[in-house]
Amino acid sequence: MLRDWTIGRKVTMGFVVAAIALAVVGVASYRSIARLTEDQRWVTHSHKVQTELARVERELLAAESSVRGYTLTANPEFVQSFEESASEARTRLESVIALTSDNPHQQDRLRPTVGVLKERFAKLQEQIEFRRNTDPTLGVDFKQGQALASAGRALTTDFLDTLHAADEEEAELLKTRDEASRETIESTRIVIIGGSLAAVILSILIGWWTATSVGRQIGSAIQTMQSSSTELQAAANQQASSATEQASAMSEIATTISELLATSRQIAESSQRVSQIASQTAGTARSGDTTVARTQDTQTQLRKQVDQIVNHMLDLGKRSQQIGGVLDLVGELAEQTNILAINASIEAAGAGDSGRRFGVVADEIRKLADRVTQSTKEIRTLIDDVRGAVNTTVMATETGSKAVDAGATQIVEMAASFKQIAGMVTTTMDAAREIELSTKQQATAVEQVNVAISNIAQASRETEASATQTLQTSGRITELSKDLLRIVESSAS
């Protein structure tokens, strides 16, 4: 059954077995390392419990030392030190109880110590209060102080005994866990080293079996390939010689057709350029005719606008004359008003004091009449200037109108010339198109013949190249089969 397997299947099976062996070793190593990590964690946990127990004992002794110092010196700093040590001792004791959750017996032993510690600190507080309330000038009742101190020492002794018992039990537990950790380390080392050796040996055996079986299959295939490559080489030699002769003949025919096609294309390109030039000339002529027509329309509109300007100028002259008449009337009114004002001044002077006011009014009216007369003269001057400018503009406009009429005549003659040019160019363009069409038909026919000949020549070249490539490939296959056979024989031996 194994002999019928393919090379890929054998190699794949070898890798699969090696991968399974490595996976088994990896899983076993992972489990051993995980167990070792857990043992180390419990060892660290026991160390931490012992450390916390030592801290509780140290803080309790520090609190008692602070109370003794205060009793001797009455220094308030000792009271503060006592309070800090008491608080730290309570915190550490609660931490120890929480850490021993894995050991119910240890927790049952340590829980009562919370009350004992509280009671001990209460006794120490009584000592502080006794020392604080005692008058230093009257002397200290040392017997009463010693009685208070003796009452708390028993509590300290019981508390420390409990802590020492818990520490001893934790030390035994630490020793047990440390031994378990060492055993786990040893077993992990055995699993990793033994599993790695087994995996290496299994991989070597699988590689040897794969190489041997694959070598046999490759050797058999190489022998078959050698016989086939010899036959293929002989056929390729014959095909290559025939394809070379055919390709030479086709190349000569293709060269002749290519020259004929090049000549036809040159004629077609020349005809096309003539047609394009004629088409461009016709387009230019039509564009010029259109431009002339637009210019003629523009001249007509310009003529109309010039006529409108002349009419407006004439109308402006008439209005200026009307304004002059009105100014004459205003001037006469101003002169009569001036005369009346002079007469009124004379009459006011003859009237004496009663006509003095009327004389002032008459004098102001006379002055106003003089200003009106002066303004009328200025307006008349301006109107005369406007009349002169209007006459000049009318003369210039008449000259421009004549020039526009002459330009319109020339534009009409130019339009007729452009129409004749457009007709002649159209005739030339039609002839050029007929020549271009005939040449294109001839070039298309020659090109079709050239494409057919080129395809045949290409097929001949491809056949020749294929035969050459086949010959080279068969030679390389023969050499490769010899090399493979040599490699397989050397590996088998």
Side-chain angles (χ1 to χ4, degrees), residues 1-16 206 209-210 212-214 216-217:
M1 180 179 178
L2 295 177
R3 294 179 180 178
D4 297 334
W5 284 10
T6 61
I7 296 175
R9 190 172 182 183
K10 290 179 179 179
V11 174
T12 302
M13 182 56 65
F15 279 113
V16 168
I206 292 172
W209 173 79
T210 304
T212 303
S213 59
V214 169
R216 293 195 187 97
Q217 287 183 336

Side-chain angles (χ1 to χ4, degrees), residues 358-414:
F358 184 72
V360 173
V361 173
D363 187 49
E364 293 296 329
I365 292 173
R366 184 177 58 80
K367 292 179 180 179
L368 179 61
D370 291 338
R371 287 198 298 271
V372 170
T373 301
Q374 184 65 28
S375 299
T376 303
K377 291 179 180 179
E378 293 176 357
I379 294 172
R380 184 179 298 280
T381 301
L382 294 174
I383 290 174
D384 292 337
D385 293 338
V386 171
R387 286 178 180 176
V390 168
N391 292 330
T392 303
T393 304
V394 169
M395 293 177 65
T397 306
E398 288 294 334
T399 303
S401 178
K402 292 179 181 179
V404 169
D405 291 338
T409 303
Q410 293 177 357
I411 289 171
V412 171
E413 294 175 357
M414 188 184 300

Side-chain angles (χ1 to χ4, degrees), residues 215 218-219 222-223 226 478-493:
I218 293 176
I222 288 172
Q223 292 177 356
Q226 281 182 339
T478 302
E479 294 176 358
L480 180 61
S481 62
K482 292 179 180 179
D483 293 337
L484 291 175
L485 185 60
R486 186 171 57 255
I487 292 171
V488 171
E489 290 176 352
S490 61
S491 62
S493 60

Side-chain angles (χ1 to χ4, degrees), residues 316-326 328 383 387:
L316 182 59
K318 293 179 181 179
R319 297 294 176 88
S320 299
Q321 291 177 358
Q322 292 176 0
I323 293 172
V326 173
D328 293 337
I383 290 174
R387 286 178 180 176

Side-chain angles (χ1 to χ4, degrees), residues 46 102-103 168-178:
S46 298
D102 60 307
N103 191 350
E168 291 176 359
E169 183 175 350
E170 198 66 33
E172 292 294 331
L173 185 60
L174 174 62
K175 183 178 180 181
T176 302
R177 289 174 175 174
D178 189 41

